Short mmCIF file of all heavy atoms in Angstrom, two decimals:
data_model
loop_
_atom_site.label_atom_id
_atom_site.label_comp_id
_atom_site.label_asym_id
_atom_site.label_seq_id
_atom_site.Cartn_x
_atom_site.Cartn_y
_atom_site.Cartn_z
N ASP A 841 32.03 125.03 -138.52
CA ASP A 841 31.69 123.94 -137.60
C ASP A 841 30.54 124.28 -136.66
O ASP A 841 30.09 123.41 -135.92
CB ASP A 841 32.91 123.52 -136.77
CG ASP A 841 33.24 124.49 -135.65
OD1 ASP A 841 32.83 125.67 -135.70
OD2 ASP A 841 33.92 124.06 -134.69
N SER A 842 30.04 125.53 -136.68
CA SER A 842 28.97 125.83 -135.73
C SER A 842 28.24 127.14 -135.98
O SER A 842 27.41 127.54 -135.16
CB SER A 842 29.51 125.84 -134.30
OG SER A 842 30.55 126.80 -134.15
N THR A 843 28.51 127.85 -137.06
CA THR A 843 27.81 129.10 -137.32
C THR A 843 26.77 128.88 -138.43
O THR A 843 26.91 127.99 -139.26
CB THR A 843 28.78 130.22 -137.73
OG1 THR A 843 29.53 129.81 -138.88
CG2 THR A 843 29.72 130.55 -136.59
N TYR A 844 25.75 129.71 -138.42
CA TYR A 844 24.63 129.56 -139.36
C TYR A 844 24.36 130.84 -140.15
O TYR A 844 24.11 130.80 -141.35
CB TYR A 844 23.36 129.16 -138.61
CG TYR A 844 23.45 127.80 -137.96
CD1 TYR A 844 23.89 127.66 -136.65
CD2 TYR A 844 23.08 126.65 -138.65
CE1 TYR A 844 23.97 126.41 -136.05
CE2 TYR A 844 23.15 125.39 -138.05
CZ TYR A 844 23.60 125.29 -136.75
OH TYR A 844 23.68 124.05 -136.17
N GLY A 845 24.39 131.99 -139.50
CA GLY A 845 24.06 133.24 -140.17
C GLY A 845 25.18 133.72 -141.07
O GLY A 845 26.36 133.53 -140.78
N HIS A 846 24.81 134.34 -142.18
CA HIS A 846 25.80 134.90 -143.10
C HIS A 846 25.12 135.91 -144.01
O HIS A 846 23.89 135.98 -144.07
CB HIS A 846 26.44 133.80 -143.96
CG HIS A 846 25.49 133.19 -144.95
ND1 HIS A 846 24.63 132.18 -144.60
CD2 HIS A 846 25.24 133.47 -146.25
CE1 HIS A 846 23.89 131.86 -145.66
NE2 HIS A 846 24.25 132.62 -146.67
N ASP A 847 25.92 136.71 -144.69
CA ASP A 847 25.38 137.58 -145.75
C ASP A 847 26.32 137.55 -146.94
O ASP A 847 27.53 137.30 -146.79
CB ASP A 847 25.15 139.01 -145.25
CG ASP A 847 26.43 139.75 -144.93
OD1 ASP A 847 27.03 140.33 -145.86
OD2 ASP A 847 26.83 139.78 -143.75
N VAL A 848 25.78 137.78 -148.12
CA VAL A 848 26.55 137.79 -149.36
C VAL A 848 26.17 139.04 -150.14
O VAL A 848 24.98 139.31 -150.36
CB VAL A 848 26.27 136.54 -150.22
CG1 VAL A 848 27.05 136.61 -151.53
CG2 VAL A 848 26.64 135.27 -149.45
N THR A 849 27.17 139.81 -150.52
CA THR A 849 26.94 141.02 -151.32
C THR A 849 27.92 141.02 -152.49
O THR A 849 28.93 140.30 -152.50
CB THR A 849 27.15 142.29 -150.48
OG1 THR A 849 28.47 142.26 -149.89
CG2 THR A 849 26.12 142.40 -149.37
N ARG A 850 27.62 141.87 -153.49
CA ARG A 850 28.51 141.94 -154.67
C ARG A 850 28.66 143.38 -155.11
O ARG A 850 27.73 144.19 -155.02
CB ARG A 850 27.97 141.06 -155.80
CG ARG A 850 26.66 141.52 -156.39
CD ARG A 850 25.95 140.43 -157.17
NE ARG A 850 26.67 139.94 -158.32
CZ ARG A 850 26.53 140.43 -159.56
NH1 ARG A 850 25.70 141.44 -159.80
NH2 ARG A 850 27.21 139.92 -160.56
N THR A 851 29.85 143.70 -155.56
CA THR A 851 30.13 145.01 -156.15
C THR A 851 30.98 144.79 -157.40
O THR A 851 31.63 143.75 -157.56
CB THR A 851 30.90 145.92 -155.18
OG1 THR A 851 32.14 145.29 -154.83
CG2 THR A 851 30.10 146.19 -153.92
N VAL A 852 30.96 145.77 -158.28
CA VAL A 852 31.83 145.74 -159.46
C VAL A 852 32.93 146.77 -159.25
O VAL A 852 32.66 147.92 -158.91
CB VAL A 852 31.04 146.03 -160.74
CG1 VAL A 852 31.97 146.15 -161.94
CG2 VAL A 852 29.99 144.94 -160.97
N ARG A 853 34.15 146.34 -159.42
CA ARG A 853 35.28 147.21 -159.18
C ARG A 853 35.37 148.29 -160.26
O ARG A 853 35.27 148.00 -161.46
CB ARG A 853 36.57 146.38 -159.14
CG ARG A 853 36.53 145.29 -158.06
CD ARG A 853 37.85 144.59 -157.91
NE ARG A 853 38.16 143.63 -158.97
CZ ARG A 853 37.77 142.36 -158.99
NH1 ARG A 853 37.04 141.87 -158.00
NH2 ARG A 853 38.11 141.56 -159.99
N ASP A 854 35.54 149.52 -159.84
CA ASP A 854 35.57 150.64 -160.78
C ASP A 854 36.90 150.74 -161.51
O ASP A 854 36.97 151.21 -162.65
CB ASP A 854 35.31 151.96 -160.04
CG ASP A 854 33.90 152.04 -159.50
OD1 ASP A 854 33.01 151.41 -160.11
OD2 ASP A 854 33.69 152.71 -158.48
N ALA A 855 37.95 150.33 -160.85
CA ALA A 855 39.29 150.47 -161.45
C ALA A 855 39.87 149.08 -161.73
O ALA A 855 39.30 148.06 -161.40
CB ALA A 855 40.19 151.25 -160.50
N GLY A 856 41.06 149.10 -162.37
CA GLY A 856 41.75 147.84 -162.62
C GLY A 856 41.00 146.98 -163.62
O GLY A 856 40.64 147.43 -164.72
N ASP A 857 40.73 145.74 -163.23
CA ASP A 857 40.14 144.79 -164.17
C ASP A 857 38.62 144.93 -164.29
O ASP A 857 37.99 144.21 -165.05
CB ASP A 857 40.49 143.36 -163.77
CG ASP A 857 39.89 142.98 -162.40
OD1 ASP A 857 39.26 143.84 -161.74
OD2 ASP A 857 40.03 141.81 -162.02
N ARG A 858 38.01 145.80 -163.50
CA ARG A 858 36.56 146.01 -163.49
C ARG A 858 35.80 144.70 -163.25
O ARG A 858 34.71 144.49 -163.75
CB ARG A 858 36.08 146.66 -164.80
CG ARG A 858 36.69 148.02 -165.04
CD ARG A 858 36.12 148.65 -166.30
NE ARG A 858 36.74 149.94 -166.56
CZ ARG A 858 36.35 151.09 -166.01
NH1 ARG A 858 35.34 151.08 -165.17
NH2 ARG A 858 36.96 152.22 -166.29
N GLY A 859 36.42 143.86 -162.46
CA GLY A 859 35.78 142.58 -162.14
C GLY A 859 34.79 142.71 -161.00
O GLY A 859 34.54 143.79 -160.46
N THR A 860 34.22 141.58 -160.65
CA THR A 860 33.20 141.53 -159.60
C THR A 860 33.81 141.02 -158.30
O THR A 860 34.51 140.00 -158.29
CB THR A 860 32.05 140.61 -160.01
OG1 THR A 860 31.47 141.10 -161.21
CG2 THR A 860 30.98 140.54 -158.92
N THR A 861 33.53 141.72 -157.23
CA THR A 861 33.89 141.26 -155.89
C THR A 861 32.63 140.76 -155.21
O THR A 861 31.67 141.52 -155.04
CB THR A 861 34.52 142.39 -155.05
OG1 THR A 861 35.72 142.85 -155.67
CG2 THR A 861 34.82 141.91 -153.64
N THR A 862 32.63 139.51 -154.85
CA THR A 862 31.51 138.93 -154.12
C THR A 862 31.99 138.62 -152.71
O THR A 862 32.94 137.85 -152.53
CB THR A 862 30.99 137.65 -154.79
OG1 THR A 862 30.67 137.94 -156.16
CG2 THR A 862 29.77 137.12 -154.07
N THR A 863 31.37 139.25 -151.74
CA THR A 863 31.83 139.16 -150.35
C THR A 863 30.89 138.28 -149.55
O THR A 863 29.68 138.53 -149.49
CB THR A 863 31.91 140.55 -149.70
OG1 THR A 863 32.83 141.35 -150.46
CG2 THR A 863 32.39 140.46 -148.26
N VAL A 864 31.48 137.26 -148.94
CA VAL A 864 30.75 136.42 -147.99
C VAL A 864 31.19 136.82 -146.59
O VAL A 864 32.38 136.93 -146.32
CB VAL A 864 31.05 134.92 -148.21
CG1 VAL A 864 30.27 134.07 -147.21
CG2 VAL A 864 30.73 134.51 -149.63
N ARG A 865 30.20 137.05 -145.72
CA ARG A 865 30.52 137.36 -144.33
C ARG A 865 29.79 136.37 -143.43
O ARG A 865 28.58 136.18 -143.54
CB ARG A 865 30.12 138.79 -143.97
CG ARG A 865 30.84 139.85 -144.78
CD ARG A 865 30.75 141.21 -144.14
NE ARG A 865 29.37 141.58 -143.83
CZ ARG A 865 29.05 142.56 -142.97
NH1 ARG A 865 30.00 143.24 -142.34
NH2 ARG A 865 27.78 142.86 -142.76
N VAL A 866 30.56 135.74 -142.56
CA VAL A 866 29.95 134.83 -141.59
C VAL A 866 29.66 135.60 -140.31
O VAL A 866 30.43 136.48 -139.90
CB VAL A 866 30.86 133.62 -141.31
CG1 VAL A 866 31.03 132.78 -142.55
CG2 VAL A 866 32.21 134.05 -140.77
N SER A 867 28.54 135.30 -139.70
CA SER A 867 28.11 135.97 -138.46
C SER A 867 28.62 135.16 -137.29
O SER A 867 28.30 133.97 -137.16
CB SER A 867 26.59 136.08 -138.43
OG SER A 867 26.12 136.79 -139.56
N LEU A 868 29.38 135.80 -136.42
CA LEU A 868 30.00 135.10 -135.30
C LEU A 868 29.26 135.30 -134.00
O LEU A 868 28.86 134.34 -133.34
CB LEU A 868 31.46 135.53 -135.15
CG LEU A 868 32.38 135.23 -136.33
CD1 LEU A 868 33.78 135.77 -136.06
CD2 LEU A 868 32.43 133.75 -136.62
#
Side-chain angles (χ1 to χ4, degrees):
D841 76 339
S842 59
T843 57
Y844 296 91
H846 69 276
D847 68 85
V848 178
T849 55
R850 66 199 298 268
T851 59
V852 174
R853 302 187 284 274
D854 293 331
D857 64 356
R858 299 184 182 275
T860 301
T861 298
T862 305
T863 301
V864 181
R865 298 198 308 162
V866 295
S867 302
L868 298 178

